[in-house]
Amino acid sequence: MTLRIKLSPACTAVFFIAVIICTGCVQTGSSEEKVSEEKVLRAALVTGPDTGGSLDPSISWEGWPMRRAGIYETLFSYDENMNLQPELATGYKQLNDTGWEIQLRRNVSFHDGTKMDADAVIYSINRVLDPSNSRSSEYSFIKNIYKTDDYTIVVETNESYAPAIPMFTDTIMSIVSPEASDLDKEPVGTGPFMFVSFEPGASIELVKNPDYWGEEPKIDRVIIQYSKDATARTLLLKSGDVDITREVLQSEYASLEADPDINIVSRETLRTYFMYVNEGKAPFDDVKVRQALNYALDRQEIVDTALEGVAGSPAIGIFPDIMPWSANDRIEAYEYNPEKALELFSEAGITQGNDGRLYYNREPFTIEIQTYTKQAAHQPMAEVIAAQLEKIGITTTIKIAETNSIIADATAGNYDLALYSWGVSPVGDPDYFVSSHFLSTGTYASTWLRYSNPQVDEWILEARAETDEEKRAELYDMIQEQVQNDAVLVCVAYKKEIDGLSPDLKGFEIYPNEYTFITNEMEIS
């Protein structure tokens, strides 16, 4: 007989704390004195690698947690203020409309001692370009890549492609050692920290890279624990068992901010909460219905209730104000206006019955909102949205599912609304999101959204090829205005990241694109 024990949330949190305390008891030095001098950073994050336990940054989105751990680097990156900067590259120049020369940093070695040079860079990039890679289509703009010497490469594009350089900041473009034997299990990069061990779904351990090309890391060892339990992460911070925890409980923001033993830091990010709308299904194929849904939402109430008033702000368009390409000062916001919503619904044939409910084709107008819980705010946001839709007479249900299930339904056209959140510009360029969601042939436009507007297509293709930033900005302003009028998506809120720190931790910064977390500038005093 198998005995199954179900732990309460409190017991789970205590168990999680015990695991970290025991982990900290492991001696890695040869003496007690060495252990006491070792600078160890302990962190609690929500999630880590989740694609079958693989640590390979070229697989799906695994580059994100690997970059956050300080293992991998890219040719270019963004600083904490989203300024593009060279990383493993030292610079670039545009040779012609379709050619880019990239100069590589010299005297850089991988964690296994292999030299980082043009061959290693080309090897890493080709792993992403391989047709078997699930994200290779994102880099279909690359026609050819070759070296002109050991520290210079040339990237040729199929046509003029303005975002070429920013696309090399994506973590999938992490530069890996060509001599590594098994990147699934033992990552080998050039970053300030080197891999030690990994427990799928639980933790990853790292040590500093003594041969790092940049400033020597100030921390000797890093232990990152993963837990989706926000209560457990907050308890670990309060007890002093971690030095930093990401995504602290919104409901505890005020009390943590008042705690002298905890520093709370927060910052707006480039992540937007929005709902996909199935425009291939009636009545959502009617722009008036989509506009009505936008007017039916009280975004301030959603922020105040689901995000506790501290973890976000009401959205206007898809790009937050902190993004330089945002046209929020130009486009018209969908203000909360239930009367306007009912008027538009009526014009679309969705009318109010004597019972106050809305009816479509003589049947109650019903909507199902699908979402997932990897982002903790999704479920409470969906609940507030459902209540607001119910308030104007829409029968609304919520379906919590795994992302794979939602993807299957969306691509099959078997959904109404899907609440998601995206880092809408992690590579710092608008084309990243715009082409996938608003270009007729884009991955999400052609499947999830079934959206097609020939004028928008023309502007996107023109903006993608335009290297003059002022002209590009004008085009993206027009694109944002049009998709706002077409109500392609229901933008809800912009996320604000809230992290809790020990007062002993210095040098930590929140990066708006969410790529970077552990850096060589962090130190424990």
Side-chain angles (χ1 to χ4, degrees):
M1 181 179 71
T2 302
L3 178 62
R4 297 185 178 181
I5 302 175
K6 183 176 181 181
L7 297 177
S8 68
C11 289
T12 301
V14 171
F15 175 75
F16 186 50
I17 292 172
V19 170
I20 289 189
I21 292 174
C22 290
T23 302
C25 293
V26 177
Q27 294 185 10
T28 58
S30 58
S31 67
E32 292 291 339
E33 182 179 359
K34 181 176 179 181
V35 173
S36 65
E37 294 175 351
E38 189 178 41
K39 299 290 187 180
V40 181
L41 171 68
R42 293 178 173 82
L45 273 63
V46 183
T47 59
D50 59 5
T51 305
S54 174
L55 304 177
D56 188 337
S58 73
I59 295 179
S60 188
W61 311 102
E62 296 316 303
W64 289 61
M66 294 295 95
R67 169 83 189 195
R68 288 171 181 159
I71 295 174
Y72 285 116
E73 296 174 308
T74 46
L75 294 178
F76 301 89
S77 65
Y78 285 95
D79 65 14
E80 66 273 17
N81 295 313
M82 288 302 292
N83 296 310
L84 183 68
Q85 60 186 6
E87 194 163 74
L88 292 179
T90 56
Y92 72 91
K93 65 180 179 180
Q94 188 169 3
L95 302 175
N96 49 55
D97 286 347
T98 58
W100 304 80
E101 180 184 272
I102 300 174
Q103 299 86 41
L104 304 178
R105 193 174 297 279
R106 296 171 183 265
N107 302 315
V108 178
S109 296
F110 291 100
H111 300 154
D112 61 3
T114 303
K115 180 172 63 176
M116 195 285 294
D117 57 12
D119 289 330
V121 170
I122 292 172
Y123 168 79
S124 300
I125 294 173
N126 281 335
R127 298 176 78 240
V128 179
L129 301 183
D130 190 307
S132 65
N133 190 302
S134 65
R135 293 181 59 194
S136 62
S137 62
E138 296 175 31
Y139 289 85
S140 60
F141 66 88
I142 296 178
K143 179 181 180 181
N144 189 24
I145 179 170
Y146 60 90
K147 70 176 184 178
T148 55
D149 62 47
D150 285 346
Y151 291 95
T152 307
I153 65 170
V154 172
V155 176
E156 293 181 340
T157 59
N158 292 304
E159 54 192 9
S160 180
Y161 188 72
I165 294 301
M167 287 297 285
F168 286 103
T169 67
D170 194 308
T171 60
I172 198 173
M173 279 290 174
S174 296
I175 307 304
V176 304
S177 171
E179 299 300 321
S181 59
D182 190 352
L183 290 171
D184 277 328
K185 297 180 180 177
E186 295 189 17
V188 184
T190 59
F193 293 94
M194 304 188 299
F195 175 78
V196 174
S197 63
F198 172 61
E199 183 66 31
S203 64
I204 189 169
E205 184 173 349
L206 315 130
V207 294
K208 79 172 183 179
N209 176 6
D211 300 316
Y212 185 55
W213 60 267
E215 183 179 347
E216 181 180 355
K218 300 175 179 66
I219 293 168
D220 299 306
R221 188 160 58 105
V222 178
I223 300 171
I224 300 175
Q225 300 285 334
Y226 301 112
S227 173
K228 295 179 181 179
D229 188 334
T231 300
R233 295 196 309 274
T234 301
L235 286 173
L236 287 167
L237 180 65
K238 287 181 174 180
S239 65
D241 290 302
V242 296
D243 305 292
I244 180 170
T245 182
R246 196 160 180 247
E247 311 287 358
V248 300
L249 283 169
Q250 297 157 190
S251 57
E252 295 202 23
Y253 179 88
S255 63
L256 291 174
E257 190 176 38
D259 191 329
D261 295 323
I262 293 174
N263 288 337
I264 289 293
V265 293
S266 64
R267 189 178 186 185
E268 288 187 354
T269 70
L270 291 171
R271 182 169 293 274
T272 299
Y273 297 103
F274 63 90
M275 289 193 292
Y276 285 102
V277 185
N278 185 357
E279 294 164 35
K281 175 182 179 181
F284 306 109
D285 56 345
D286 190 327
V287 65
K288 291 182 178 180
V289 172
R290 302 195 300 272
Q291 291 173 341
L293 289 171
N294 274 280
Y295 283 118
L297 297 189
D298 184 343
R299 291 164 175 79
Q300 189 63 58
E301 182 185 51
I302 295 169
V303 167
D304 291 342
T305 306
L307 301 181
E308 305 278 349
V310 296
S313 59
I316 299 175
I318 194 64
F319 294 129
D321 293 339
I322 62 169
M323 184 183 175
W325 299 93
S326 172
N328 284 348
D329 60 346
R330 175 171 169 168
I331 62 180
E332 185 177 349
Y334 284 101
E335 302 290 350
Y336 177 52
N337 190 336
E339 291 77 19
K340 178 69 172 178
L342 290 172
E343 179 184 329
L344 286 167
F345 276 134
S346 179
E347 292 176 8
I350 301 172
T351 56
Q352 200 167 35
N354 294 330
D355 58 359
R357 309 301 295 175
L358 291 182
Y359 287 82
Y360 175 63
N361 289 340
R362 298 183 180 181
E363 297 290 335
F365 180 41
T366 62
I367 289 179
E368 180 184 75
I369 302 172
Q370 296 194 29
T371 195
Y372 57 99
T373 58
K374 189 173 181 178
Q375 289 283 334
H378 285 183
Q379 184 169 345
M381 289 180 78
E383 290 169 353
V384 177
I385 291 170
Q388 291 180 353
L389 295 181
E390 286 277 356
K391 191 175 180 180
I392 65 169
I394 301 173
T395 303
T396 310
T397 59
I398 299 171
K399 177 182 177 182
I400 304 297
E402 295 296 325
T403 54
N404 287 341
S405 173
I406 298 176
I407 291 170
D409 280 350
T411 53
N414 184 30
Y415 82 106
D416 298 329
L417 305 178
L419 176 62
Y420 259 65
S421 60
W422 268 63
V424 292
S425 186
V427 300
D429 192 276
D431 185 69
Y432 179 89
F433 189 91
V434 166
S435 285
S436 63
H437 285 76
F438 308 134
L439 184 65
S440 298
T441 56
T443 304
Y444 293 89
S446 62
T447 54
W448 290 52
L449 294 166
R450 274 78 174 176
Y451 172 71
S452 178
N453 183 320
Q455 179 61 78
V456 171
D457 288 350
E458 182 181 329
W459 287 334
I460 291 175
L461 295 176
E462 186 178 347
R464 181 188 288 176
E466 180 58 68
T467 55
D468 183 295
E469 283 210 359
E470 286 190 11
K471 292 180 180 178
R472 284 193 85 206
E474 290 176 8
L475 288 164
Y476 284 116
D477 284 351
M478 292 189 291
I479 292 167
Q480 290 175 72
E481 281 187 289
Q482 189 59 57
V483 298
Q484 182 83 343
N485 293 337
D486 290 345
V488 183
L489 301 168
V490 179
C491 299
V492 181
Y494 304 127
K495 180 181 178 179
K496 180 180 287 187
E497 181 175 330
I498 303 173
D499 299 333
L501 285 64
S502 160
D504 295 332
L505 178 62
K506 310 297 181 186
F508 172 73
E509 296 282 354
I510 293 176
Y511 285 67
N513 65 348
E514 303 179 14
Y515 278 173
T516 305
F517 187 74
I518 303 294
T519 71
N520 60 326
E521 297 179 359
M522 296 169 68
E523 60 180 311
I524 299 290
S525 61

